[in-house]
Amino acid sequence: MAPHLTARIVDPDGRTVQSISPKLQSVVMKPSTAAAVTTMMEAVVNEGTGVAAQIPGVRVAGKTGTAQTQIGTAINNVWFIAFAPAEDPRVAIAVTLRDVPGQGAEFAAPIAKTVMEGLLDG
């Protein structure tokens, strides 16, 4: 979508003078490609490294990541990105943590789950 700074313009009395509608800037991938990536990301959460982000009754699509930052140690920068519900997303999240003794699956995915549960319940 094209970026913009406001959703509406109001007059001094608080009446909306102009509403700013979202505008498509460009298409980054074909719908079929997006569907394939979503399916793969759902598999990560259903049966892969992202199982800690599973939310009962909600299809979650996500991807873990781990970057080794200190050779010879288990200290890493980790992340987990996700969106839910996968079939009609209402929330998207990226959790990043620096200098943790492990992987994104064990540190970042559970945080993402907690935040998404709160947002989806609200």
Side-chain angles (χ1 to χ4, degrees):
M1 304 305 289
H4 57 273
L5 298 176
T6 186
R8 63 188 174 113
I9 299 170
V10 297
D11 66 16
D13 295 323
R15 294 182 298 245
T16 299
V17 176
Q18 180 182 359
S19 293
I20 312 298
S21 299
K23 293 184 181 156
L24 182 65
Q25 180 170 313
S26 63
V27 177
V28 296
M29 70 176 67
K30 296 184 294 188
S32 60
T33 304
V37 170
T38 297
T39 298
M40 289 182 265
M41 290 176 70
E42 283 186 88
V44 168
V45 174
N46 291 336
E47 58 198 62
T49 56
V51 295
Q54 291 177 353
I55 300 172
V58 178
R59 288 173 45 200
V60 178
K63 180 67 181 94
T64 61
T66 303
Q68 184 180 20
T69 58
Q70 298 177 25
I71 296 174
T73 72
I75 305 301
N76 302 306
N77 291 346
V78 302
W79 57 89
F80 184 75
I81 59 167
F83 57 91
E87 67 277 11
D88 187 19
R90 293 186 9 234
V91 299
I93 187 167
V95 175
T96 62
L97 302 166
R98 292 184 55 169
D99 301 328
V100 298
Q103 300 178 334
E106 62 187 304
F107 286 93
I111 294 169
K113 173 187 178 174
T114 300
V115 173
M116 287 190 296
E117 285 176 320
L119 292 170
L120 291 169
D121 286 343

